[in-house]
Amino acid sequence: MPFALSSPVRITKNDLAIFSDFKCGKEDYELAPAVWIKGPEAVKAIKDGTRIFAYATASVPNTIVGFGSLGKTNWHLAGESQPKERVQIIPFLAVHEDYWHKEICKQIVKHLINEARQKLSVSCLLGLYVHEKNEYAIHADRKSTRLNSSHLGI
């Protein structure tokens, strides 16, 4: 049964301790987001302008069920020999392992896309890396891309 998310909360570097018990899997690629959100890289990301959001549900009050982040970077879009272009990026996104397969990820992605739309002055492109072993995310990303190939209205 899917959970409806409460309004996302933007996180500051002083709020990161709320993720101290956050778990999003046991595989290396699943552990990476939890390590990132609990470590100095998240603090640095916030200082560099990355926005991090915490997600909870009304049905499970005071429990973080996921987080997402939105930043900016430069990517080679037309090949390594071409100049890099500015893009918005989702550096990390994770759902607590107790809440997997409840459509929380889809809701987080929708929120991050809407946030990115508000920053079109940065870029009208939104990038997301998905680990090659994360079959669930690959499937969800392909389904989302098939359904809406112009996420930011380009």
Side-chain angles (χ1 to χ4, degrees):
M1 175 181 177
F3 285 92
L5 292 181
S6 301
S7 295
V9 176
R10 186 163 174 191
I11 299 300
T12 69
K13 63 181 180 174
N14 298 326
D15 301 321
L16 290 169
I18 66 170
F19 297 104
S20 62
D21 294 329
F22 194 84
K23 296 177 184 168
C24 50
K26 295 173 180 50
E27 301 294 329
D28 287 344
Y29 70 90
E30 295 169 334
L31 293 170
V35 169
W36 180 79
I37 198 68
K38 296 174 190 179
E41 295 87 1
V43 174
K44 181 181 182 319
I46 290 171
K47 286 181 182 176
D48 291 342
T50 295
R51 295 175 287 155
I52 299 175
F53 300 92
Y55 301 90
T57 70
S59 60
V60 189
N62 303 317
T63 300
I64 302 299
V65 298
F67 72 87
S69 55
L70 188 62
K72 55 190 178 232
T73 191
N74 297 308
W75 275 1
H76 285 289
L77 297 175
E80 293 290 322
S81 63
Q82 300 300 314
K84 289 183 174 182
E85 295 182 47
R86 193 64 148 178
V87 299
Q88 295 187 74
I89 187 171
I90 299 172
F92 279 99
L93 177 154
V95 174
H96 191 286
E97 63 189 10
D98 292 345
Y99 301 95
W100 285 357
H101 308 292
K102 301 191 185 309
E103 297 191 18
I104 290 172
C105 184
K106 184 189 297 185
Q107 294 175 71
I108 292 173
V109 169
K110 284 182 180 181
H111 171 253
L112 294 174
I113 288 169
N114 286 332
E115 287 290 320
R117 281 189 178 120
Q118 296 174 32
K119 295 285 187 176
L120 291 177
S121 62
V122 173
S123 175
C124 61
L125 302 173
L126 178 60
L128 169 65
Y129 285 114
V130 176
H131 194 281
E132 63 189 14
K133 291 183 180 177
N134 190 341
E135 293 179 22
Y136 181 78
I138 290 169
H139 173 74
D141 183 52
R142 286 187 181 145
K143 184 176 177 183
S144 172
T145 302
R146 218 175 23 250
L147 294 175
N148 184 0
S149 62
S150 59
H151 293 303
L152 301 183
I154 55 173

